[in-house]
Amino acid sequence: MRLGLALGYWGRGPDPSHLSLAQEAERLGYHSVWTAESWGSDAFTPLTWIAAHTSRIRLGTAVAQMAARSPTTTAMHALTLDHLSGGRMMLGLGLSGPQVVEGWYGRPFPRSPLTATREYVDVVRQVLRREAPVALDGRFHPLPYRGEDGTGLGRALKPITHPLRADLPVLLGAEGPKNIAQTARIADGWLPLYWSPTRTEVYEAALADRRAGFLVAPMARAQVCDDVTEGLLPVKAMLGFYIGGMGHAARNFHADLMARMGYEEEARRIQELFLAGRREDAVRAVPDAFADEISLVGPRERIAERLESWRKGPVTDLLVLAPDPYTLRVLAELNA
């Protein structure tokens, strides 16, 4: 199991520790570093900055939102950064949810998310292969565009720039069973949002068709500390926000996932509290047990013991959300 560093996205402004953490992760032998986006900082710009200040560590987006860019634009970002970094790019994509897609990007959330995702990946792959002009008779991403409001003058094009690699890895962030199953068929890897090494049966059927070399790369908050309860507070705060606020009361993919993992009643209670404006109560309602099983928090000995269960399952890459260089170093030593 390889280690990666997950930096997430910015809050109010740039995090001044991100670059030094990425450089320390490279020094410690981490395989990859990953950036994200929501509705603030983008995923590609910070990754390019990190690329310019590192030399070996792989560079991934976890995730770049598909609604933010056309698939050809995303492929342009990926092939450009792949060239500039000497072939270190890993493209992680996610569909996001209706609130973000329609509220932030101003476009309709696809009524058939599986089809939209499949078409998006198809176009990205065509650009990276550069075998022929990119064309797709698609429902969501048709190329050339033939809509009634178009001119009809569009033509299929090949990228001017020759991609460095036709096989640049494409990973997908997927949560529902059908979406995960499709990911196993069409992508090079999967980026689970929550992963419990004690509940791998939740994903067993969906991952049945994955091919050899398929990456399973979940994120997990990690912190070496003496007080487990205190160390879990950032995990609970994240869960309270995602379960409670990152979606509509009737359509929240994160809450649905928590429910499938055995915490349905708790997930609905978190939603209820958060949507009622009781955010602190929503965070307190997150079970310590759930926060604990999807993270690596506590003294070194406890993390060492729990890390073994992560190694025994299908996880190929553990993407660590770590707040300090010491935690990064401990995990590197334990995983050596």
Side-chain angles (χ1 to χ4, degrees), residues 57-84:
I57 197 165
R58 305 293 173 87
L59 310 156
T61 54
V63 293
Q65 295 176 333
M66 287 184 262
R69 307 162 189 88
S70 71
T72 48
T73 307
T74 295
M76 289 165 64
H77 279 300
L79 74 85
T80 302
L81 185 47
D82 202 41
H83 269 291
L84 293 174

PDB file of all heavy atoms in Angstrom, residues 57-84:
ATOM      1  N   ILE A  57       7.444  13.342  -6.813  1.00  0.00           N
ATOM      2  CA  ILE A  57       6.142  12.926  -6.299  1.00  0.00           C
ATOM      3  C   ILE A  57       5.064  13.087  -7.373  1.00  0.00           C
ATOM      4  O   ILE A  57       5.058  14.061  -8.128  1.00  0.00           O
ATOM      5  CB  ILE A  57       5.800  13.730  -5.019  1.00  0.00           C
ATOM      6  CG1 ILE A  57       4.678  13.058  -4.234  1.00  0.00           C
ATOM      7  CG2 ILE A  57       5.487  15.196  -5.331  1.00  0.00           C
ATOM      8  CD1 ILE A  57       4.534  13.587  -2.817  1.00  0.00           C
ATOM      9  N   ARG A  58       4.161  12.101  -7.480  1.00  0.00           N
ATOM     10  CA  ARG A  58       3.072  12.173  -8.463  1.00  0.00           C
ATOM     11  C   ARG A  58       2.054  13.233  -8.029  1.00  0.00           C
ATOM     12  O   ARG A  58       1.905  13.510  -6.841  1.00  0.00           O
ATOM     13  CB  ARG A  58       2.386  10.815  -8.596  1.00  0.00           C
ATOM     14  CG  ARG A  58       3.327   9.672  -8.941  1.00  0.00           C
ATOM     15  CD  ARG A  58       3.922   9.804 -10.317  1.00  0.00           C
ATOM     16  NE  ARG A  58       4.941   8.803 -10.557  1.00  0.00           N
ATOM     17  CZ  ARG A  58       4.705   7.580 -11.027  1.00  0.00           C
ATOM     18  NH1 ARG A  58       3.464   7.205 -11.290  1.00  0.00           N
ATOM     19  NH2 ARG A  58       5.702   6.734 -11.230  1.00  0.00           N
ATOM     20  N   LEU A  59       1.334  13.759  -9.005  1.00  0.00           N
ATOM     21  CA  LEU A  59       0.454  14.903  -8.787  1.00  0.00           C
ATOM     22  C   LEU A  59      -0.971  14.543  -9.179  1.00  0.00           C
ATOM     23  O   LEU A  59      -1.226  14.208 -10.344  1.00  0.00           O
ATOM     24  CB  LEU A  59       0.934  16.089  -9.620  1.00  0.00           C
ATOM     25  CG  LEU A  59       2.423  16.432  -9.482  1.00  0.00           C
ATOM     26  CD1 LEU A  59       2.913  17.174 -10.717  1.00  0.00           C
ATOM     27  CD2 LEU A  59       2.665  17.245  -8.216  1.00  0.00           C
ATOM     28  N   GLY A  60      -1.899  14.592  -8.229  1.00  0.00           N
ATOM     29  CA  GLY A  60      -3.256  14.168  -8.522  1.00  0.00           C
ATOM     30  C   GLY A  60      -4.308  15.173  -8.108  1.00  0.00           C
ATOM     31  O   GLY A  60      -4.118  15.970  -7.190  1.00  0.00           O
ATOM     32  N   THR A  61      -5.442  15.149  -8.812  1.00  0.00           N
ATOM     33  CA  THR A  61      -6.610  15.933  -8.427  1.00  0.00           C
ATOM     34  C   THR A  61      -7.619  14.987  -7.783  1.00  0.00           C
ATOM     35  O   THR A  61      -8.015  14.001  -8.381  1.00  0.00           O
ATOM     36  CB  THR A  61      -7.252  16.625  -9.643  1.00  0.00           C
ATOM     37  OG1 THR A  61      -7.539  15.652 -10.668  1.00  0.00           O
ATOM     38  CG2 THR A  61      -6.324  17.680 -10.213  1.00  0.00           C
ATOM     39  N   ALA A  62      -8.040  15.326  -6.579  1.00  0.00           N
ATOM     40  CA  ALA A  62      -8.982  14.461  -5.870  1.00  0.00           C
ATOM     41  C   ALA A  62      -9.987  15.317  -5.089  1.00  0.00           C
ATOM     42  O   ALA A  62      -9.843  15.506  -3.902  1.00  0.00           O
ATOM     43  CB  ALA A  62      -8.234  13.529  -4.918  1.00  0.00           C
ATOM     44  N   VAL A  63     -10.946  15.866  -5.847  1.00  0.00           N
ATOM     45  CA  VAL A  63     -11.150  15.645  -7.277  1.00  0.00           C
ATOM     46  C   VAL A  63     -11.323  16.980  -7.989  1.00  0.00           C
ATOM     47  O   VAL A  63     -11.667  17.985  -7.361  1.00  0.00           O
ATOM     48  CB  VAL A  63     -12.401  14.779  -7.570  1.00  0.00           C
ATOM     49  CG1 VAL A  63     -12.217  13.364  -7.061  1.00  0.00           C
ATOM     50  CG2 VAL A  63     -13.684  15.397  -6.985  1.00  0.00           C
ATOM     51  N   ALA A  64     -11.127  16.943  -9.333  1.00  0.00           N
ATOM     52  CA  ALA A  64     -11.529  18.048 -10.186  1.00  0.00           C
ATOM     53  C   ALA A  64     -12.986  17.824 -10.579  1.00  0.00           C
ATOM     54  O   ALA A  64     -13.362  16.720 -10.961  1.00  0.00           O
ATOM     55  CB  ALA A  64     -10.650  18.103 -11.437  1.00  0.00           C
ATOM     56  N   GLN A  65     -13.806  18.853 -10.451  1.00  0.00           N
ATOM     57  CA  GLN A  65     -15.237  18.694 -10.680  1.00  0.00           C
ATOM     58  C   GLN A  65     -15.560  18.755 -12.172  1.00  0.00           C
ATOM     59  O   GLN A  65     -15.160  19.688 -12.873  1.00  0.00           O
ATOM     60  CB  GLN A  65     -16.009  19.785  -9.922  1.00  0.00           C
ATOM     61  CG  GLN A  65     -15.851  19.645  -8.413  1.00  0.00           C
ATOM     62  CD  GLN A  65     -16.520  20.764  -7.644  1.00  0.00           C
ATOM     63  OE1 GLN A  65     -16.683  21.862  -8.145  1.00  0.00           O
ATOM     64  NE2 GLN A  65     -16.899  20.482  -6.412  1.00  0.00           N
ATOM     65  N   MET A  66     -16.275  17.763 -12.637  1.00  0.00           N
ATOM     66  CA  MET A  66     -16.585  17.678 -14.059  1.00  0.00           C
ATOM     67  C   MET A  66     -17.438  18.841 -14.544  1.00  0.00           C
ATOM     68  O   MET A  66     -17.292  19.295 -15.683  1.00  0.00           O
ATOM     69  CB  MET A  66     -17.265  16.344 -14.361  1.00  0.00           C
ATOM     70  CG  MET A  66     -16.326  15.154 -14.322  1.00  0.00           C
ATOM     71  SD  MET A  66     -17.109  13.598 -14.799  1.00  0.00           S
ATOM     72  CE  MET A  66     -17.470  12.895 -13.202  1.00  0.00           C
ATOM     73  N   ALA A  67     -18.312  19.354 -13.692  1.00  0.00           N
ATOM     74  CA  ALA A  67     -19.179  20.452 -14.104  1.00  0.00           C
ATOM     75  C   ALA A  67     -18.404  21.750 -14.302  1.00  0.00           C
ATOM     76  O   ALA A  67     -18.892  22.670 -14.962  1.00  0.00           O
ATOM     77  CB  ALA A  67     -20.281  20.667 -13.065  1.00  0.00           C
ATOM     78  N   ALA A  68     -17.205  21.825 -13.744  1.00  0.00           N
ATOM     79  CA  ALA A  68     -16.418  23.061 -13.819  1.00  0.00           C
ATOM     80  C   ALA A  68     -15.829  23.298 -15.198  1.00  0.00           C
ATOM     81  O   ALA A  68     -15.508  24.442 -15.545  1.00  0.00           O
ATOM     82  CB  ALA A  68     -15.292  23.023 -12.787  1.00  0.00           C
ATOM     83  N   ARG A  69     -15.666  22.241 -15.970  1.00  0.00           N
ATOM     84  CA  ARG A  69     -14.965  22.353 -17.254  1.00  0.00           C
ATOM     85  C   ARG A  69     -15.533  21.340 -18.244  1.00  0.00           C
ATOM     86  O   ARG A  69     -15.926  20.242 -17.852  1.00  0.00           O
ATOM     87  CB  ARG A  69     -13.469  22.058 -17.080  1.00  0.00           C
ATOM     88  CG  ARG A  69     -12.781  22.868 -16.009  1.00  0.00           C
ATOM     89  CD  ARG A  69     -11.452  22.247 -15.590  1.00  0.00           C
ATOM     90  NE  ARG A  69     -10.918  22.929 -14.427  1.00  0.00           N
ATOM     91  CZ  ARG A  69     -11.215  22.605 -13.168  1.00  0.00           C
ATOM     92  NH1 ARG A  69     -12.044  21.606 -12.921  1.00  0.00           N
ATOM     93  NH2 ARG A  69     -10.683  23.285 -12.165  1.00  0.00           N
ATOM     94  N   SER A  70     -15.493  21.692 -19.497  1.00  0.00           N
ATOM     95  CA  SER A  70     -15.824  20.695 -20.509  1.00  0.00           C
ATOM     96  C   SER A  70     -14.756  19.596 -20.453  1.00  0.00           C
ATOM     97  O   SER A  70     -13.637  19.827 -19.987  1.00  0.00           O
ATOM     98  CB  SER A  70     -15.848  21.331 -21.893  1.00  0.00           C
ATOM     99  OG  SER A  70     -14.525  21.663 -22.298  1.00  0.00           O
ATOM    100  N   PRO A  71     -15.060  18.397 -20.926  1.00  0.00           N
ATOM    101  CA  PRO A  71     -14.058  17.329 -20.874  1.00  0.00           C
ATOM    102  C   PRO A  71     -12.795  17.635 -21.679  1.00  0.00           C
ATOM    103  O   PRO A  71     -11.703  17.241 -21.287  1.00  0.00           O
ATOM    104  CB  PRO A  71     -14.801  16.107 -21.424  1.00  0.00           C
ATOM    105  CG  PRO A  71     -16.017  16.633 -22.096  1.00  0.00           C
ATOM    106  CD  PRO A  71     -16.367  17.909 -21.411  1.00  0.00           C
ATOM    107  N   THR A  72     -12.932  18.372 -22.788  1.00  0.00           N
ATOM    108  CA  THR A  72     -11.731  18.727 -23.540  1.00  0.00           C
ATOM    109  C   THR A  72     -10.867  19.717 -22.756  1.00  0.00           C
ATOM    110  O   THR A  72      -9.633  19.648 -22.788  1.00  0.00           O
ATOM    111  CB  THR A  72     -12.096  19.320 -24.909  1.00  0.00           C
ATOM    112  OG1 THR A  72     -13.098  20.325 -24.748  1.00  0.00           O
ATOM    113  CG2 THR A  72     -12.594  18.243 -25.852  1.00  0.00           C
ATOM    114  N   THR A  73     -11.496  20.639 -22.038  1.00  0.00           N
ATOM    115  CA  THR A  73     -10.736  21.583 -21.212  1.00  0.00           C
ATOM    116  C   THR A  73      -9.989  20.849 -20.114  1.00  0.00           C
ATOM    117  O   THR A  73      -8.812  21.130 -19.843  1.00  0.00           O
ATOM    118  CB  THR A  73     -11.685  22.633 -20.598  1.00  0.00           C
ATOM    119  OG1 THR A  73     -12.457  23.249 -21.615  1.00  0.00           O
ATOM    120  CG2 THR A  73     -10.897  23.687 -19.843  1.00  0.00           C
ATOM    121  N   THR A  74     -10.653  19.910 -19.464  1.00  0.00           N
ATOM    122  CA  THR A  74     -10.003  19.127 -18.418  1.00  0.00           C
ATOM    123  C   THR A  74      -8.825  18.341 -18.983  1.00  0.00           C
ATOM    124  O   THR A  74      -7.752  18.277 -18.377  1.00  0.00           O
ATOM    125  CB  THR A  74     -11.014  18.166 -17.768  1.00  0.00           C
ATOM    126  OG1 THR A  74     -12.017  18.939 -17.094  1.00  0.00           O
ATOM    127  CG2 THR A  74     -10.343  17.246 -16.768  1.00  0.00           C
ATOM    128  N   ALA A  75      -9.016  17.757 -20.154  1.00  0.00           N
ATOM    129  CA  ALA A  75      -7.924  17.018 -20.790  1.00  0.00           C
ATOM    130  C   ALA A  75      -6.759  17.944 -21.118  1.00  0.00           C
ATOM    131  O   ALA A  75      -5.583  17.552 -20.992  1.00  0.00           O
ATOM    132  CB  ALA A  75      -8.427  16.328 -22.056  1.00  0.00           C
ATOM    133  N   MET A  76      -7.041  19.201 -21.533  1.00  0.00           N
ATOM    134  CA  MET A  76      -5.983  20.172 -21.790  1.00  0.00           C
ATOM    135  C   MET A  76      -5.195  20.475 -20.519  1.00  0.00           C
ATOM    136  O   MET A  76      -3.959  20.540 -20.533  1.00  0.00           O
ATOM    137  CB  MET A  76      -6.582  21.463 -22.365  1.00  0.00           C
ATOM    138  CG  MET A  76      -7.105  21.338 -23.787  1.00  0.00           C
ATOM    139  SD  MET A  76      -8.177  22.720 -24.281  1.00  0.00           S
ATOM    140  CE  MET A  76      -7.028  24.092 -24.228  1.00  0.00           C
ATOM    141  N   HIS A  77      -5.901  20.673 -19.405  1.00  0.00           N
ATOM    142  CA  HIS A  77      -5.227  20.883 -18.120  1.00  0.00           C
ATOM    143  C   HIS A  77      -4.299  19.710 -17.805  1.00  0.00           C
ATOM    144  O   HIS A  77      -3.138  19.888 -17.417  1.00  0.00           O
ATOM    145  CB  HIS A  77      -6.259  21.018 -16.997  1.00  0.00           C
ATOM    146  CG  HIS A  77      -6.871  22.373 -16.869  1.00  0.00           C
ATOM    147  ND1 HIS A  77      -6.141  23.504 -16.612  1.00  0.00           N
ATOM    148  CD2 HIS A  77      -8.164  22.774 -16.917  1.00  0.00           C
ATOM    149  CE1 HIS A  77      -6.945  24.544 -16.524  1.00  0.00           C
ATOM    150  NE2 HIS A  77      -8.185  24.131 -16.720  1.00  0.00           N
ATOM    151  N   ALA A  78      -4.841  18.509 -17.948  1.00  0.00           N
ATOM    152  CA  ALA A  78      -4.089  17.322 -17.564  1.00  0.00           C
ATOM    153  C   ALA A  78      -2.863  17.104 -18.437  1.00  0.00           C
ATOM    154  O   ALA A  78      -1.764  16.825 -17.928  1.00  0.00           O
ATOM    155  CB  ALA A  78      -5.002  16.093 -17.617  1.00  0.00           C
ATOM    156  N   LEU A  79      -3.032  17.229 -19.748  1.00  0.00           N
ATOM    157  CA  LEU A  79      -1.882  16.979 -20.629  1.00  0.00           C
ATOM    158  C   LEU A  79      -0.825  18.073 -20.482  1.00  0.00           C
ATOM    159  O   LEU A  79       0.371  17.792 -20.601  1.00  0.00           O
ATOM    160  CB  LEU A  79      -2.338  16.808 -22.085  1.00  0.00           C
ATOM    161  CG  LEU A  79      -2.796  18.008 -22.909  1.00  0.00           C
ATOM    162  CD1 LEU A  79      -1.624  18.741 -23.551  1.00  0.00           C
ATOM    163  CD2 LEU A  79      -3.773  17.545 -23.997  1.00  0.00           C
ATOM    164  N   THR A  80      -1.261  19.296 -20.184  1.00  0.00           N
ATOM    165  CA  THR A  80      -0.301  20.384 -19.990  1.00  0.00           C
ATOM    166  C   THR A  80       0.534  20.159 -18.739  1.00  0.00           C
ATOM    167  O   THR A  80       1.771  20.249 -18.766  1.00  0.00           O
ATOM    168  CB  THR A  80      -1.030  21.740 -19.890  1.00  0.00           C
ATOM    169  OG1 THR A  80      -1.789  21.959 -21.079  1.00  0.00           O
ATOM    170  CG2 THR A  80      -0.040  22.877 -19.704  1.00  0.00           C
ATOM    171  N   LEU A  81      -0.132  19.852 -17.636  1.00  0.00           N
ATOM    172  CA  LEU A  81       0.591  19.629 -16.386  1.00  0.00           C
ATOM    173  C   LEU A  81       1.426  18.357 -16.449  1.00  0.00           C
ATOM    174  O   LEU A  81       2.502  18.271 -15.845  1.00  0.00           O
ATOM    175  CB  LEU A  81      -0.393  19.578 -15.215  1.00  0.00           C
ATOM    176  CG  LEU A  81       0.192  19.477 -13.803  1.00  0.00           C
ATOM    177  CD1 LEU A  81       1.313  20.478 -13.584  1.00  0.00           C
ATOM    178  CD2 LEU A  81      -0.902  19.656 -12.766  1.00  0.00           C
ATOM    179  N   ASP A  82       0.967  17.375 -17.209  1.00  0.00           N
ATOM    180  CA  ASP A  82       1.748  16.152 -17.370  1.00  0.00           C
ATOM    181  C   ASP A  82       3.076  16.452 -18.068  1.00  0.00           C
ATOM    182  O   ASP A  82       4.137  15.962 -17.675  1.00  0.00           O
ATOM    183  CB  ASP A  82       0.949  15.119 -18.162  1.00  0.00           C
ATOM    184  CG  ASP A  82       1.430  13.691 -17.928  1.00  0.00           C
ATOM    185  OD1 ASP A  82       1.733  13.350 -16.763  1.00  0.00           O
ATOM    186  OD2 ASP A  82       1.511  12.923 -18.899  1.00  0.00           O
ATOM    187  N   HIS A  83       3.030  17.278 -19.103  1.00  0.00           N
ATOM    188  CA  HIS A  83       4.259  17.695 -19.784  1.00  0.00           C
ATOM    189  C   HIS A  83       5.177  18.479 -18.854  1.00  0.00           C
ATOM    190  O   HIS A  83       6.378  18.190 -18.742  1.00  0.00           O
ATOM    191  CB  HIS A  83       3.926  18.561 -21.008  1.00  0.00           C
ATOM    192  CG  HIS A  83       3.759  17.794 -22.281  1.00  0.00           C
ATOM    193  ND1 HIS A  83       4.807  17.171 -22.922  1.00  0.00           N
ATOM    194  CD2 HIS A  83       2.659  17.558 -23.036  1.00  0.00           C
ATOM    195  CE1 HIS A  83       4.363  16.582 -24.016  1.00  0.00           C
ATOM    196  NE2 HIS A  83       3.062  16.799 -24.118  1.00  0.00           N
ATOM    197  N   LEU A  84       4.623  19.483 -18.180  1.00  0.00           N
ATOM    198  CA  LEU A  84       5.435  20.359 -17.334  1.00  0.00           C
ATOM    199  C   LEU A  84       6.071  19.621 -16.161  1.00  0.00           C
ATOM    200  O   LEU A  84       7.134  20.005 -15.677  1.00  0.00           O
ATOM    201  CB  LEU A  84       4.585  21.525 -16.817  1.00  0.00           C
ATOM    202  CG  LEU A  84       4.111  22.533 -17.867  1.00  0.00           C
ATOM    203  CD1 LEU A  84       3.166  23.551 -17.233  1.00  0.00           C
ATOM    204  CD2 LEU A  84       5.297  23.238 -18.511  1.00  0.00           C
TER     205      LEU A  84
END
